[in-house]
Amino acid sequence: MSGKARLAGVMGWPIGHSRSPRLHGHWLERYGIDGAYVPLAVPPERAEQAIRALPALGFRGCNVTVPFKEIAFRTVDRLDATARRMGAVNTIVVHADGTLEGGNTDGFGFLENVKAGCRDWSAEQGPAVVIGAGGAARAVAVALLDAGAPEIRLVNRTRARAEELAADIGGPIAVVDWVSRETALEGAALLVNTTTQGMTGHPPLDLDLRALPVAAVVNDIVYTPLDTPLLVAARSRGNRAVDGLGMLLHQARPGFQAWFGVEPEVTPDLARIVLEG
């Protein structure tokens, strides 16, 4: 790395758990780029100051993770259309004039992951059932609607939160009560779990798949473990199942290209290296 190295990083609090430095570091080495991608641990009360300082420090941009996605949304100079719809920013690009542009690549990462796992899948094939109503659910729902999903059935334990998300996004979103979650699976072409249920240290998602068509694709955005109880149950009945690691890997591609000038490739070696972290 020279004094002319291109700089980017990931900002959060805490940040030690992030696998993004390992991910981007692999790409930097693979493509022989004079650059660095570093973890930026920033106390929440200084997040806006740190974001505004990126141009002065010579950064090409950064990723932002919890709890800074909404702060970044309010701080950048302009937003791309996707970030504006999602109400959150996960990728910041510093332009030559020092202005900050905020984007959100979570939905892109979700779609690319499902497409990579099921190459004949498309959002237009039928209704999608989305479990959860947090930031990840918002990203998934926006991505699916923009890709042509005819209907999204949004299921969450707290109905009010799901209704708020549906109202914010607009479009063909039907809010389903938690007690009716199994009924929502009838005729669905895609099931996505965006909650932490099934993650290591959390209870499994309480969902009976009997009403789900066997032709439907099942995706869990959790990637620790890769094979969540939901995915194991889906495969056992013949559904195609897609784990959540690829969403993390694919969402990183647009930022890397913007900062370092190379469109990176997601490979099995990359997945292995990130998992080892």
Side-chain angles (χ1 to χ4, degrees), residues 125-179:
Q125 290 174 354
V129 178
V130 176
I131 309 294
R138 182 181 295 265
V140 167
V142 168
L144 285 170
L145 290 176
D146 288 351
E151 179 190 6
I152 292 177
R153 301 167 187 170
L154 189 62
V155 184
N156 193 54
R157 291 183 184 274
T158 306
R159 182 181 177 91
R161 191 173 185 189
E163 288 179 338
E164 181 181 358
L165 189 155
D168 285 348
I169 296 175
I173 302 178
V175 174
V176 179
D177 288 324
W178 183 251
V179 295

Side-chain angles (χ1 to χ4, degrees), residues 23-254:
L23 192 167
H24 288 275
H26 171 77
W27 280 336
L28 288 168
E29 182 177 0
R30 179 182 177 189
Y31 297 110
I33 294 171
D34 184 11
Y37 182 98
V38 296
L40 301 167
V42 177
E45 66 273 14
R46 305 195 72 176
E48 182 176 347
Q49 179 184 8
I51 291 169
R52 296 303 320 175
L54 289 170
L57 294 172
F59 276 74
R60 299 291 185 99
C62 74
N63 289 123
V64 290
T65 185
V66 291
F68 297 152
K69 292 186 177 185
E70 288 74 28
I71 295 173
F73 181 88
R74 300 191 301 267
T75 302
V76 296
D77 299 303
R78 59 183 180 272
L79 299 161
D80 69 16
T82 302
R84 189 174 293 109
R85 286 193 70 196
M86 292 185 182
V89 163
N90 79 335
T91 303
I92 297 173
V93 175
V94 178
H95 290 284
D97 62 357
T99 58
L100 305 174
E101 181 173 0
N104 194 308
T105 64
D106 286 334
F108 170 85
F110 160 74
L111 287 177
E112 289 296 298
N113 182 38
V114 178
K115 290 175 184 176
C118 301
R119 297 194 176 276
D120 62 342
W121 174 84
S122 67
E124 298 98 330
Q125 290 174 354
V129 178
V130 176
I131 309 294
R138 182 181 295 265
V140 167
V142 168
L144 285 170
L145 290 176
D146 288 351
E151 179 190 6
I152 292 177
R153 301 167 187 170
L154 189 62
V155 184
N156 193 54
R157 291 183 184 274
T158 306
R159 182 181 177 91
R161 191 173 185 189
E163 288 179 338
E164 181 181 358
L165 189 155
D168 285 348
I169 296 175
I173 302 178
V175 174
V176 179
D177 288 324
W178 183 251
V179 295
S180 302
R181 60 193 180 280
E182 275 89 20
T183 304
L185 301 177
E186 296 175 359
L190 174 70
L191 168 62
V192 186
N193 175 40
T194 71
T195 75
T196 57
Q197 301 300 291
M199 182 183 293
T200 301
H202 294 260
L205 180 67
D206 181 14
L207 185 65
D208 189 326
L209 299 181
R210 279 180 290 184
L212 184 70
V214 176
V217 174
V218 179
N219 170 235
D220 200 326
I221 71 166
V222 169
Y223 59 87
T224 52
L226 279 182
D227 286 323
T228 63
L230 173 64
L231 297 184
V232 171
R235 289 194 186 97
S236 71
R237 63 190 304 274
N239 292 96
R240 291 179 293 173
V242 181
D243 66 58
L245 180 61
M247 181 174 174
L248 171 69
L249 305 182
H250 286 285
Q251 65 80 30
R253 287 165 47 201

